[in-house]
Amino acid sequence: MKQPPREQRRHTRFPFDTSVRLSSPRSKWEGALLDVSLKGILMTRPKTWQGKSAERYQVEFSLDQDVTITMQVSVAHSDAERIGFRCEHIDLDSMSHLKRLVELNLGDEQLLNRELSALGGG
């Protein structure tokens, strides 16, 4: 019997229900955020998305009416329904908000510190 692939993720993912704005220099799309981690996001694949794996994109999503997280991302994986993006760059304000979101979801400072330590290792 074939074994399922080993989970290689180092960062805990959290479901988060909000819309995502995805853009490249040539196009803009919208989709739904499925989950988020310190290292990226998973979103629904926009019907008109024809992006390329080698390109860089920007994603934006709001935590509330006053807080928006913006990341420069690249495609980590995609299928007919979803696209996973790897965070390549995030500004300090967005990182602070994302860190707080992770902290609230983990509910444990030691786990948060482990997540943050894993950022340095990949």
Side-chain angles (χ1 to χ4, degrees):
M1 182 164 129
K2 186 175 180 180
Q3 295 289 342
R6 196 176 122 247
E7 180 68 53
Q8 296 181 6
R9 209 168 270 114
R10 294 183 184 151
H11 302 282
T12 306
R13 294 168 23 166
F14 301 99
F16 198 82
D17 184 22
T18 190
S19 61
V20 176
R21 291 167 302 284
L22 172 65
S23 60
S24 74
R26 298 177 317 280
S27 300
K28 295 181 186 208
W29 306 270
E30 294 217 8
L33 183 65
L34 299 172
D35 65 43
V36 61
S37 78
L38 287 174
K39 247 344 226 178
I41 69 160
L42 180 68
M43 68 177 283
T44 58
R45 183 183 181 118
K47 290 183 186 349
T48 62
W49 190 71
Q50 296 294 321
K52 305 210 179 343
S53 294
E55 289 187 41
R56 293 278 175 110
Y57 300 90
Q58 179 172 298
V59 294
E60 291 183 347
F61 57 95
S62 297
L63 300 182
D64 63 35
Q65 64 184 9
D66 297 325
V67 177
T68 299
I69 292 178
T70 303
M71 295 179 182
Q72 304 302 315
V73 297
S74 60
V75 176
H77 58 86
S78 67
D79 61 32
E81 297 176 7
R82 304 175 302 181
I83 310 169
F85 289 98
R86 177 183 311 104
C87 179
E88 301 293 347
H89 176 76
I90 186 168
D91 64 78
L92 188 57
D93 285 340
S94 291
M95 185 58 179
S96 295
H97 296 305
L98 184 57
K99 178 183 165 199
R100 181 70 179 138
L101 176 66
V102 170
E103 180 179 32
L104 290 171
N105 278 280
L106 285 173
D108 182 331
E109 191 172 347
Q110 285 184 328
L111 290 174
L112 174 63
N113 289 334
R114 246 185 279 165
E115 293 278 325
L116 292 170
S117 292
L119 280 175

